[in-house]
Amino acid sequence: MFTCNFISFPLLGTGSSILSALQDLFWLSKSKVEKQLQIISVLQWVLTFLIMGVACTLILMYILCTDCWAIAALYLAWLVFDWNTPKKGGRRSQWVRNWAIWRYFRDYFPIRLVKTHNLLTTRNYIFGYHPHGIMGLGAFCNFSTEATGVGQKFPGIRPYLATLAGNFRMPILRDYLMSGGICPVNRDSIDYILSKNGSGNAIIIVVGGAAESLNCTPGKNSVTLKNRKGFVKLALRHGADLVPVYSFGENEVYKQVIFEEGSWGRWVQKKFQKHIGFAPCIFHGRGLFSSNTWGLLPYSKPITTVVGEPITIPKIDNPSQREVDFYHSMYVDSLIKLFDKYKSKFGLPETEVLEVN
C-alpha cells in the first residue's frame, strides 16, 4: 500500500505539470492566432479599399467570355435594376455590420469610439469627420461596423458613412459597401436620407476629402476645412444638426511621401483629384510578416474617435452665404474646442495646436 501511494503521488504531480504546460501552450497559441486574425481582417479591408472594385470588374468581364457567362449576365441585369439603390439609403445588413472580423479589425490598432453627448432620435445629423488619413480607418470601423458599439452608444441613430460615388459603379464592391451602411457622398443621396428616411439618421462626411489626405503624416494634426462649406449648407437646408468628430491617431497609421506645392508630384495628385475624385498617395505601412519591413498593412497605432457636442441647426430652404458662413464658423470653433479638450488624454502635448487650412 505504501509503495502504491508513493508511486501515485509523483504521477499526479507529473500530470499536473503537463496539464499546466499544455494550458500555457494553448494560451500562447490562442494569442498568436488572434494576432494573425487581426492582421488578416485589416489586410482584407486594405485590399478592398485599393483593388476590389477593379478586380471584381475584370473578373465579371472574364466570366462573360466563359461558359458561365449567364451568371455574369444575370448579375449585370440585377445591377441595372438596382442602380439607384445607393442613392436611396443603400441596403445595410446588421449581420454584416456585426461580423466577428470587424472586432479583430478593431483590436489590431486598437480603435475606440468616445461618446461625449447624447443624440436625439427625433433629429437628423451630419457628422464632420476629421482628419481623413490615408484610408479613413477609424471612420470605417466606428460607423460602418458595430465593432466599437456605435449602436449601443447612440441607440436609435442610423449612421451612414459617405464615400466617393464612383465606388458604387463598381460591381460587387457596391453591394459590399452598402451592407455596412456606406452611401455615396453626393447631394441626391444625402438629400434622400435627410428628407425621406425619417429621423435618427447620421451622415458621416469626411470633410477634408482627397485634398486633406495629401497632407496627412504622423505627428501632424491638420484639417482642410476653411473653404469646405457645402456640408454646412446641406445641414441648413435640412435642419440637420452638425456634429464635429475628431479621430486622434488617424494620421499615425501610415507614412506618406509629401510633395511640396508646385512640385511635379503634387501637380499629378491634384490632376487626379480634380478629374477622378481621389488623389493617389505614395505611402507605406508595415509588412505582412514583420513590423520592421515596409508593406500595405497600417501600423498598429491606437485610433480614438471622439464624437463632439451637436450644434443645433435651423431649417432654412435657401440659406444665404452669410448664414452658411456663420454656422461654418461655429462648427470650426466647436471642432477646435473638441480637439483642445481631449488632446492631452490621447497622447498629445498641451501645446499641440490643430491646424485649420
Side-chain angles (χ1 to χ4, degrees):
M1 291 294 291
F2 178 79
T3 304
C4 182
N5 290 337
F6 180 79
I7 294 172
S8 65
F9 278 111
L11 285 175
L12 181 62
T14 303
S16 299
S17 299
I18 293 172
L19 181 60
S20 176
L22 287 173
Q23 286 176 335
D24 291 342
L25 183 62
F26 171 75
W27 286 114
L28 180 62
S29 298
K30 182 179 179 182
S31 174
K32 286 184 176 179
V33 168
E34 285 188 348
K35 186 61 180 176
Q36 293 305 312
L37 288 172
Q38 291 170 12
I39 289 173
I40 291 169
S41 69
V42 175
L43 180 62
Q44 69 83 28
W45 173 247
V46 170
L47 294 178
T48 295
F49 182 90
L50 295 176
I51 66 172
M52 183 177 178
V54 173
C56 288
T57 302
L58 293 175
I59 291 170
L60 196 65
M61 291 172 63
Y62 171 76
I63 293 174
L64 280 171
C65 301
T66 69
D67 293 339
C68 298
W69 63 269
I71 296 174
L74 283 172
Y75 178 80
L76 288 173
W78 160 253
L79 191 62
V80 172
F81 174 78
D82 195 54
W83 190 253
N84 289 322
T85 297
K87 299 177 183 178
K88 298 180 179 179
R91 188 170 45 247
R92 76 175 54 221
S93 166
Q94 285 300 116
W95 175 65
V96 173
R97 288 175 61 89
N98 281 288
W99 277 354
I101 194 173
W102 306 132
R103 295 193 290 276
Y104 290 112
F105 183 100
R106 171 199 66 196
D107 294 339
Y108 172 85
F109 296 92
I111 296 174
R112 290 178 55 210
L113 179 65
V114 176
K115 169 186 175 180
T116 63
H117 291 79
N118 292 325
L119 298 181
L120 300 175
T121 58
T122 55
R123 300 284 294 174
N124 283 323
Y125 301 90
I126 292 179
F127 287 18
Y129 184 92
H130 313 270
H132 183 287
I134 295 292
M135 297 185 187
L137 294 165
F140 168 75
C141 184
N142 285 308
F143 301 113
S144 294
T145 80
E146 292 295 331
T148 56
V150 65
Q152 289 72 42
K153 290 175 180 175
F154 300 104
I157 301 297
R158 291 181 297 276
Y160 294 87
L161 177 60
T163 188
L164 289 176
N167 289 325
F168 297 90
R169 302 187 187 103
M170 301 284 190
I172 309 301
L173 175 63
R174 67 190 292 277
D175 302 289
Y176 190 33
L177 295 178
M178 284 194 293
S179 67
I182 301 177
C183 69
V185 62
N186 58 34
R187 181 168 172 175
D188 289 343
S189 177
I190 294 172
D191 282 347
Y192 183 91
I193 293 170
L194 294 180
S195 63
K196 299 180 181 178
N197 202 41
S199 59
N201 302 292
I203 297 179
I204 297 87
I205 299 177
V206 185
V207 178
E212 190 172 87
S213 69
L214 297 178
N215 295 312
C216 68
T217 187
K220 186 174 184 179
N221 289 282
S222 170
V223 297
T224 301
L225 183 56
K226 280 184 179 178
N227 297 315
R228 299 295 176 109
K229 301 180 180 181
F231 73 106
V232 178
K233 190 172 184 178
L234 280 170
L236 286 164
R237 289 180 63 246
H238 293 284
D241 293 348
L242 288 171
V243 182
V245 179
Y246 198 85
S247 221
F248 294 90
E250 185 72 63
N251 284 347
E252 307 300 315
V253 296
Y254 279 111
K255 295 179 181 179
Q256 180 184 188
V257 176
I258 304 294
F259 293 101
E260 296 295 329
E261 289 293 338
S263 66
W264 67 269
R266 183 54 65 107
W267 180 84
V268 170
Q269 289 176 323
K270 287 189 173 181
K271 285 294 181 182
F272 265 83
Q273 179 188 336
K274 180 179 178 180
H275 297 292
I276 302 178
F278 73 92
C281 302
I282 300 178
F283 65 91
H284 73 84
R286 52 156 290 182
L288 183 59
F289 301 107
S290 171
S291 59
N292 296 321
T293 59
W294 288 11
L296 288 176
L297 277 176
Y299 293 105
S300 52
K301 303 287 186 179
I303 299 174
T304 305
T305 303
V306 184
V307 180
E309 182 178 4
I311 302 168
T312 303
I313 302 294
K315 188 177 185 304
I316 305 173
D317 291 334
N318 294 296
S320 66
Q321 190 59 50
R322 183 178 179 181
E323 290 167 327
V324 171
D325 291 344
F326 174 76
Y327 285 102
H328 180 267
S329 177
M330 284 183 63
Y331 178 85
V332 173
D333 290 343
S334 183
L335 178 65
I336 292 172
K337 288 177 182 177
L338 179 71
F339 177 85
D340 288 340
K341 181 177 181 180
Y342 288 94
K343 61 186 177 184
S344 61
K345 295 182 181 179
F346 301 119
L348 297 178
E350 282 291 345
T351 54
E352 185 72 16
V353 175
L354 179 63
E355 182 182 329
V356 180
N357 298 313

